[in-house]
Amino acid sequence: MIVADRKSLEEILAMVQEKHKILIVGCRGCVTVCNVGGEKEVEILEASINLARKTSDQPIEIETVTIERQCDNEYVAQLKEGINTYDAVVSLACGVGPQFLSEAYPDQLFFPGVNTTFFGGAVSHGVWEERCQGCGTCIIHHFDGLCPVARCAKSLLHGPCGGSSDGLCEVSKETLCIWDMIVKKKMEQGRLNDLLTVMEAKDWRSARDGGPRRSIREELIP
Amino acid sequence: MRLSYPPEIKVIQVPCTGRVDIIHLLNALENGADGVYVAGCLEGECHYRTGNLKARKRVAYVQKVLAEIGMEPDRVAMFNLSSAQGKRFAEIADEITARIVALGPSPVNKRSKTHATV
Ligand code: SF4
Ligand code: SF4
């Protein structure tokens, strides 16, 4: 899923500082699963903004709604009614959400309430980790299912580098060296020889380097 | 045991403090409570194992929100005591009331009433 972190209340309060009536829009997709932009978090943000504005004697009117997915025009269209009656709209979806909303409702101002961080999953309750960076050409089968593109700080296809020590990456004591894990796993599985194969230079044009990407499925186009 | 505690306190009973969510604490403050405190079982003695530990983290989250908006984080607190400690319950009630009275009325309503939640 796409993982995000809620923006600080301070930042969000600054966004809506001059506004008197706002809408907070949640999304039932990834941000609900990573507990940052679902119905519950929408309520918490509403209560927090309300409290902040009440204590500073600048009351604000807040309405909330959580739609199925903000990255889907079919659901975005459900907001049509009354969307322009707000001074601003805060979206708690990933960065895709406020963009789809802005495209659908060009007269309204949309603010992102979260910082979109990575594609990953929860490794334990309350802890999410990056696993993929959407490079457009998946090669993890060469590395026993571990992705060095997203999980090695240098995206090395032959590793580890000299910075690997005690299983940790040189960038931080919190970061595991994925190459240490790849080598260990290959050794455990008796497949260390696989790593003698020289990987061809990766074609980064399928990744972000080739510019914004687009997926077209002819069979689905009406 | 006939013990009294400050009449300003409004007790809200829940089956376990694990039921108390961030939104409940925020809503109480939003609606004008001068303070909210959660009285849970002793740590390690939750019938549902971790209800009181979860409540403590939620209280900490709300304290962080209050700090961010310039409201005193001490208006929210967590206490742990066993259901057999009636005397301690009354003491905590006195303690939290004194603390909240010292902070003064909530900036939300500026009324001099103290509400608290258990
Ligand atoms: S190789 Fe590319 S597509 Fe595959 S997991 Fe890594 S970043 Fe994602
Ligand atoms: S220490 Fe490991 S993860 Fe870090 S940059 Fe080097 S090979 Fe990559």
Side-chain angles (χ1 to χ4, degrees):
Chain A
M1 82 183 111
I2 294 179
V3 181
D5 291 321
R6 231 285 305 283
K7 278 188 180 288
S8 73
L9 200 47
E10 197 187 349
E11 195 177 349
I12 298 176
L13 285 172
M15 289 168 172
V16 300
Q17 199 177 13
E18 305 290 319
K19 319 290 181 209
H20 303 291
K21 187 181 177 200
I22 63 165
L23 175 72
I24 304 176
V25 192
C27 174
R28 284 192 223 285
C30 306
V31 289
T32 287
V33 187
C34 69
N35 303 71
V36 79
E39 213 159 316
K40 199 169 165 176
E41 295 75 28
V42 164
E43 275 190 0
I44 292 175
L45 180 63
E46 176 195 19
S48 307
I49 297 179
N50 220 346
L51 192 59
R53 293 288 290 261
K54 274 188 178 177
T55 58
S56 58
D57 223 8
Q58 293 168 295
I60 183 170
E61 199 182 323
I62 308 176
E63 281 175 28
T64 62
V65 60
T66 299
I67 61 173
E68 208 53 39
R69 280 193 301 277
Q70 289 188 30
C71 55
D72 201 324
N73 282 325
E74 192 184 326
Y75 299 109
V76 168
Q78 294 170 349
L79 297 175
K80 197 163 183 217
E81 196 94 10
I83 191 81
N84 288 329
T85 62
Y86 303 96
D87 298 335
V89 179
V90 177
S91 160
L92 287 188
C94 74
V96 179
Q99 296 192 55
F100 263 61
L101 296 176
S102 303
E103 285 162 35
Y105 308 111
D107 295 333
Q108 184 51 279
L109 275 175
F110 293 93
F111 292 92
V114 308
N115 291 322
T116 306
T117 47
F118 51 78
F119 306 157
V123 288
S124 60
H125 209 74
V127 181
W128 287 267
E129 279 183 4
E130 182 163 17
R131 286 292 183 269
C132 172
Q133 82 182 34
C135 75
T137 314
C138 197
I139 49 172
I140 54 173
H141 50 295
H142 295 296
F143 310 105
D144 287 11
L146 301 167
C147 173
V149 177
R151 300 172 69 186
C152 163
K154 297 167 186 160
S155 296
L156 295 178
L157 297 190
H158 303 93
C161 74
S164 177
S165 140
D166 289 332
L168 297 175
C169 170
E170 62 182 341
V171 300
S172 111
K173 295 256 176 291
E174 315 270 282
T175 311
L176 295 175
C177 168
I178 194 64
W179 266 105
D180 187 82
M181 287 167 71
I182 294 170
V183 171
K184 276 196 186 126
K185 187 162 178 190
K186 290 278 189 198
M187 283 166 77
E188 277 163 18
Q189 307 287 325
R191 290 197 282 262
L192 193 58
N193 274 351
D194 293 357
L195 295 180
L196 293 174
T197 315
V198 175
M199 297 291 298
E200 267 183 40
K202 193 164 166 60
D203 183 348
W204 291 99
R205 283 173 300 183
S206 66
R208 261 287 307 161
D209 306 44
R213 291 161 281 176
R214 186 178 219 199
S215 230
I216 299 172
R217 309 253 184 82
E218 289 297 348
E219 76 280 15
L220 296 177
I221 298 174
Chain B
M1 207 178 345
R2 268 182 175 278
L3 298 165
S4 60
Y5 60 87
E8 296 90 338
I9 291 181
K10 183 168 192 272
V11 178
I12 296 172
Q13 291 184 322
V14 286
C16 167
T17 49
R19 179 67 187 88
V20 180
D21 219 329
I22 292 168
I23 192 67
H24 302 130
L25 303 173
L26 286 172
N27 282 160
L29 295 165
E30 242 185 307
N31 291 324
D34 294 323
V36 193
Y37 74 101
V38 181
C41 294
L42 293 168
E43 291 194 359
E45 291 187 8
C46 174
H47 292 270
Y48 303 97
R49 298 185 56 215
T50 55
N52 49 1
L53 303 178
K54 287 182 180 137
R56 177 169 293 279
K57 292 199 166 166
R58 293 169 187 158
V59 165
Y61 180 100
V62 175
Q63 288 176 326
K64 221 179 95 208
V65 170
L66 296 190
E68 268 191 274
I69 65 172
M71 213 168 146
E72 304 89 348
D74 272 356
R75 290 188 186 273
V76 179
M78 170 92 199
F79 287 94
N80 297 90
L81 71 165
S82 93
S83 52
Q85 292 176 292
K87 191 160 170 285
R88 182 72 191 122
F89 180 86
E91 275 167 23
I92 291 171
D94 284 336
E95 205 176 307
I96 190 82
T97 307
R99 189 196 289 180
I100 293 169
V101 166
L103 291 173
S106 157
V108 168
N109 54 7
K110 308 239 167 38
R111 278 190 285 118
S112 59
K113 222 169 150 215
T114 311
H115 296 286
T117 308
V118 183

